[in-house]
Amino acid sequence: MSLVAEAFVTQIAAAEPWPENAALYQQLKEEQILLSDNASSLAVQAFLQMCNLPVQVVCRANAEYMSPSGKVPFIRVGNQVVSELGPIVQFVKAKGHSLSDGLDEVQKAEMKAYMELVNNMLLTAELYLQWCDDTTVEEITHPRYGSPYPWPLNRILAYQKQWEVRRKMKAIGWAGKSLEQVLEDVDQCCQALSQRLGTQSYFFNKQPTELDALVFGHLFTILTTQLTSDELSEKVKNYSNLVAFCRRIEQHYFEDHDKDSSASAASRSPKSYLPS
């Protein structure tokens, strides 16, 4: 299909209303999905909830291989398949739903800068912890990542992924970092986010944007995921306004939505509650 034809098809799809059977795909929740993918999936779920767009979470062992970009989550809306938060935000905007239209150009640039900070620091730290910290790799990452597959495929796939992530870490200068240095990076990121949030309910004005969805996805997952130690979650807990921010979004966009739509609550609600 030519680029012109592809753009035309995309335009037609964007003009169609949001369907009731839209689906978000991720790995198996209980036994397979890892911290970073769980955080990314929750960020997209939060974004769609904030847009008041229904989506059914579908867990598949091979979700990573089903994704057009090789990354989760991805959504299927009609005949369209879109992966990762950034492209999903643009796809949803083409359908007439945007959380950041009320921001001016300076605010939009600032929002994008903070989103880059989260992706460059928190997401990278999650990947480092999963694939470069030996204790986490042996006790959590390898067993979970390969859990749907028989031996030796489970080990082969886990080692392939580990090699891929470690190569990325080397390319961006993180391979030589110690765990303490990574945790310090997380602390600096949380400090910047805490200062920007201040006493506000959301990062910009009184309504959430895609930045709020992204930050919630990562911080909530860090706070509620059991790892080999509490060092990562303790960095977030040091900032009470960030913990309160996560609790606020959880209650408003997940618990309250679940009450309104109890039939699909189990598939959407993030598991585990925040510390009081």
Side-chain angles (χ1 to χ4, degrees), residues 190-210:
C190 288
Q191 183 178 1
L193 292 171
S194 176
Q195 289 175 349
R196 180 63 184 84
L197 180 64
T199 58
Q200 302 175 110
S201 294
Y202 304 106
F203 284 96
F204 291 92
N205 305 324
K206 296 180 180 180
Q207 299 297 323
T209 64
E210 47 264 43

Side-chain angles (χ1 to χ4, degrees), residues 13 20 33 47-48 59-60 73 83-84 96 98 108 110 121 149 168 189 202 236 239 252 263-264 266:
E20 289 296 320
I33 198 168
F47 170 73
L48 294 174
C59 297
R60 292 283 185 270
S83 62
E84 302 178 76
S98 175
K108 287 180 180 178
E110 187 181 3
M121 289 294 188
Y149 307 103
K168 177 185 176 182
C189 180
Y202 304 106
V236 180
Y239 300 92
H252 186 71
S264 59

Side-chain angles (χ1 to χ4, degrees), residues 54-270:
V55 68
Q56 181 73 23
V57 177
V58 179
C59 297
R60 292 283 185 270
N62 62 339
E64 183 179 354
Y65 305 103
M66 293 168 64
S67 170
S69 68
K71 296 181 180 180
V72 293
F74 68 91
I75 59 172
R76 181 182 293 277
V77 181
N79 293 325
Q80 296 288 299
V81 177
V82 189
S83 62
E84 302 178 76
L85 179 61
I88 289 171
V89 168
Q90 293 304 312
F91 177 77
V92 168
K93 184 176 181 180
K95 285 186 171 292
H97 303 274
S98 175
L99 297 178
S100 53
D101 275 354
L103 304 184
D104 60 33
E105 292 307 311
V106 173
Q107 289 175 317
K108 287 180 180 178
E110 187 181 3
M111 179 190 73
K112 289 178 181 177
Y114 276 98
M115 292 182 74
E116 284 295 310
L117 176 68
V118 172
N119 286 323
N120 291 339
M121 289 294 188
L122 290 186
L123 177 58
T124 307
E126 292 160 4
L127 289 168
Y128 175 96
L129 190 66
Q130 287 168 188
W131 296 105
C132 299
D133 177 65
D134 291 338
T135 303
T136 305
V137 167
E138 288 306 313
E139 293 185 16
I140 296 176
T141 307
H142 276 199
R144 286 185 66 87
Y145 189 82
S147 63
Y149 307 103
W151 185 89
L153 183 59
N154 58 343
R155 302 297 288 178
I156 293 170
L157 292 175
Y159 277 114
Q160 282 181 342
K161 185 68 175 182
Q162 184 174 354
W163 178 81
E164 175 189 320
V165 173
R166 289 191 175 188
R167 185 177 63 170
K168 177 185 176 182
M169 291 295 155
K170 186 175 182 180
I172 63 175
W174 278 58
K177 287 191 177 188
S178 65
L179 179 58
E180 289 71 26
Q181 288 173 315
V182 171
L183 291 171
E184 180 58 31
D185 286 340
V186 170
D187 184 67
Q188 290 181 6
C189 180
C190 288
Q191 183 178 1
L193 292 171
S194 176
Q195 289 175 349
R196 180 63 184 84
L197 180 64
T199 58
Q200 302 175 110
S201 294
Y202 304 106
F203 284 96
F204 291 92
N205 305 324
K206 296 180 180 180
Q207 299 297 323
T209 64
E210 47 264 43
L211 172 63
D212 297 276
L214 179 65
V215 172
F216 169 74
H218 285 278
L219 295 188
F220 183 94
T221 305
I222 288 172
L223 286 167
T224 58
T225 300
Q226 186 174 359
L227 299 173
T228 57
S229 79
D230 296 331
E231 291 177 297
L232 184 61
S233 61
E234 287 299 324
K235 293 298 182 183
V236 180
K237 290 178 185 177
N238 287 336
Y239 300 92
S240 58
N241 64 334
L242 295 182
V243 177
F245 165 83
C246 289
R247 188 179 298 112
R248 186 181 309 118
I249 290 182
E250 178 197 22
Q251 291 173 343
H252 186 71
Y253 289 102
F254 290 92
E255 291 178 6
D256 289 352
H257 276 65
D258 288 349
K259 292 174 187 175
D260 297 336
S261 182
S262 58
S264 59
S267 67
R268 289 199 327 266
S269 182

